[in-house]
Amino acid sequence: MTSCVALIVAAGSGERFGGDRPKQYQDLGGRAVLHHTVGAFLRHAYVDAVQVVIQPGHRELYDAAIAGLDLPEPVAGGATRQESVRLGLERLAARDPVPDFVLIHDAARPLVSGATVQAVRDRLDEVPAAIAAVPVTDTLKRGTGGLVSGTVERAGLWRAQTPQGFRFGEILRAHRELAGAELTDDAAVAERAGLDVALVEGNVENLKVTNRDDLAQAAMLMNASIPSPPQDVRIGMGYDVHRFSAGDHVVLCGIKVPHEARLEGHSDADVGLHALTDAILGALAAGDIGSHFPPSDPQWRGADSALFLRHAVGMVRERGGVIAHADVTLICERPKIGPHREAMVARMAELLEIAPDRVSVKATTTERLGFTGRGEGIAAQAVATICLPGT
Ligand SMILES: Nc1ccn([C@@H]2O[C@H](COP(=O)(O)OP(=O)(O)OP(=O)(O)O)[C@@H](O)[C@H]2O)c(=O)n1
Ligand SMILES: C[C@](O)(CO)[C@H](O)COP(=O)(O)O
């Protein structure tokens, strides 16, 4: 089995963007640009780990930007992108075992699609290097002193993007050999080292935020990713129950709630996240939580149920879809849900990677009737709406 690590370079200072903070820490739809970028790789099934490279002086901005994401200590970057990449590769080279493949990506490209990541990685089975790129479609002019001095033949020209994927040992060697060469992308480093670099057609939405207009365009594209009709809108529902046993807290919708009992279960028994995971899987017609994470499998013992939900969210993304809304109802006499509702909504929004105003947590009792009324356990119902690309 081969391993693949994503190396996200975020150590630039964003001089062309300007503003109060570097562009990778600017807000995009309620989250930092870097959060979106890292999230795209963290939830990708082909990516085993994500390593970020930052400027040490940006540490506070970084910590705030990646809050809630599980990442290793960042690497300190260098004065140029090329140097930042090399320093990141050196950190990966110190891992045991070293990765087989590395996907190098700009923090400033937050809209990278799962399909592009997959296509670049797939190509590495045949070639040592592969980059996302889009063919040039405009006529190209050379300008001198504000006047056109020539028209450039565009046939065969591509705009290089990231991710740029490589067999790890080969790009590490190339970056070491060419340190200080002032090359603007890793493909150029690979080319100079004599590696064959394959072009993988990406998409124009994978834009690099360089100036303020790019950020505005990225925000528009993100909003537009909730597709307008015709589209494949699906609603899924989920239901789950866990029984109380001796303990001092329960975990509900990702939040630890003090209680005089705990919920029994193979994982952390988060009945709310289980119902929601099933709702999303239901909308995808992709089985249920038990078929993806069998209770008989010891690796899920005591697992954080966030992992199950992230898996379902990743499946929606891999199909090019988005989650439009989620609604969970917790059914119990106690504990009281009201005081924790806001934290639950915030946590679920984070896991679903959607705005909190698309997430709802409700609670009801059953008027002391039935098993929830007798305080024997908690039940949860969930409904999720997802939008997949139209067929
Ligand atoms: N010393 C550097 C320079 C750039 N980058 C990263 O490389 C990517 C692409 O670089 P670019 O868009 O040029 O970013 P900046 O260098 O930040 O922008 P500018 O050139 O406007 O200052 C960005 O994610 C940036 O954070 C980096 O890690 N280390
Ligand atoms: C690597 C890159 O994203 C390919 O388009 C780009 O070259 C990096 O940005 P820069 O402005 O050239 O540093």
Side-chain angles (χ1 to χ4, degrees):
M1 179 105 148
T2 58
S3 65
C4 177
V5 174
L7 181 65
I8 312 287
V9 280
S13 44
E15 274 169 27
R16 287 169 287 182
F17 190 94
D20 60 337
R21 57 185 60 199
K23 60 195 182 185
Q24 59 272 32
Y25 301 114
Q26 294 283 337
D27 181 87
L28 175 60
R31 292 228 165 78
V33 167
L34 178 65
H35 190 108
H36 294 285
T37 310
V38 167
F41 287 88
L42 272 181
R43 64 174 171 263
H44 201 285
Y46 279 26
V47 175
D48 301 297
V50 175
Q51 177 65 61
V52 184
V53 181
I54 66 165
Q55 252 186 52
H58 298 159
R59 184 63 200 238
E60 275 184 27
L61 289 168
Y62 171 77
D63 286 340
I66 56 102
L69 301 178
D70 192 15
L71 289 170
E73 189 59 17
V75 174
T80 62
R81 182 186 180 283
Q82 187 185 341
E83 184 64 358
S84 294
V85 171
R86 191 184 61 76
L87 292 166
L89 292 173
E90 294 292 357
R91 168 71 65 85
L92 299 181
R95 284 183 178 225
D96 186 17
V98 295
D100 298 295
F101 301 105
V102 60
L103 301 176
I104 302 170
H105 187 73
D106 296 330
R109 294 187 189 268
L111 301 187
V112 59
S113 72
T116 297
V117 173
Q118 181 169 340
V120 170
R121 165 60 193 89
D122 277 342
R123 203 70 178 87
L124 295 177
D125 288 334
E126 293 127 24
V127 290
I131 66 168
V134 285
V136 171
T137 51
D138 296 317
T139 297
L140 295 177
K141 300 291 180 193
R142 179 164 289 115
T144 316
L147 292 176
V148 172
S149 57
T151 299
V152 179
E153 172 61 53
R154 77 172 169 218
L157 291 187
W158 293 69
R159 290 163 46 204
Q161 300 179 331
T162 63
Q164 302 198 345
F166 304 91
R167 295 188 189 148
F168 182 74
E170 297 182 51
I171 194 65
L172 175 66
R173 213 167 17 255
H175 260 281
R176 281 177 177 167
E177 266 169 38
L178 288 149
E182 297 190 17
L183 299 167
T184 54
D185 74 348
D186 310 294
V189 175
E191 291 157 43
R192 287 266 194 105
L195 300 180
D196 282 339
V197 181
L199 290 162
V200 172
E201 185 153 352
N203 50 63
V204 288
E205 286 80 12
N206 182 20
L207 57 84
K208 180 161 74 70
V209 174
T210 302
N211 52 46
R212 288 187 176 269
D213 287 349
D214 299 324
L215 190 62
Q217 200 188 340
M220 263 164 35
L221 287 166
M222 253 184 45
N223 286 337
S225 72
I226 305 274
S228 52
Q231 58 191 310
D232 188 2
V233 177
R234 294 161 172 226
I235 295 171
M237 69 92 63
Y239 178 73
D240 194 30
V241 173
H242 282 269
R243 161 198 306 276
F244 282 129
S245 67
D248 60 6
H249 72 273
V250 292
V251 182
L252 293 173
C253 296
I255 300 298
K256 187 172 168 180
V257 177
H259 190 52
E260 68 265 20
R262 70 177 178 92
L263 288 172
E264 268 179 33
H266 189 63
S267 64
D268 64 6
D270 187 333
V271 67
L273 291 195
H274 292 184
L276 182 54
T277 302
D278 259 352
I280 295 172
L281 293 174
L284 286 170
D288 60 22
I289 191 168
S291 56
H292 291 259
F293 301 97
S296 53
D297 188 337
Q299 69 173 305
W300 312 125
R301 187 176 304 284
D304 177 351
S305 297
L307 187 145
F308 308 148
L309 184 56
R310 279 207 189 99
H311 172 80
V313 171
M315 289 179 70
V316 175
R317 303 270 184 199
E318 271 163 34
R319 291 184 56 177
V322 293
I323 294 164
H325 125 281
D327 181 16
V328 174
T329 303
L330 297 168
I331 306 165
C332 57
E333 302 292 326
R334 300 189 51 247
K336 289 287 167 224
I337 303 303
H340 308 283
R341 187 195 310 269
E342 206 178 314
M344 291 174 178
V345 167
R347 177 63 177 148
M348 292 205 307
E350 181 172 34
L351 293 170
L352 294 165
E353 301 197 6
I354 60 178
D357 67 2
R358 293 180 177 274
V359 178
S360 145
V361 173
K362 311 196 300 304
T364 186
T365 69
T366 47
E367 300 286 332
R368 301 194 177 281
L369 296 170
F371 70 90
T372 54
R374 291 189 297 274
E376 293 168 7
I378 301 183
Q381 294 178 341
V383 174
T385 308
I386 69 171
C387 304
L388 299 176
T391 46

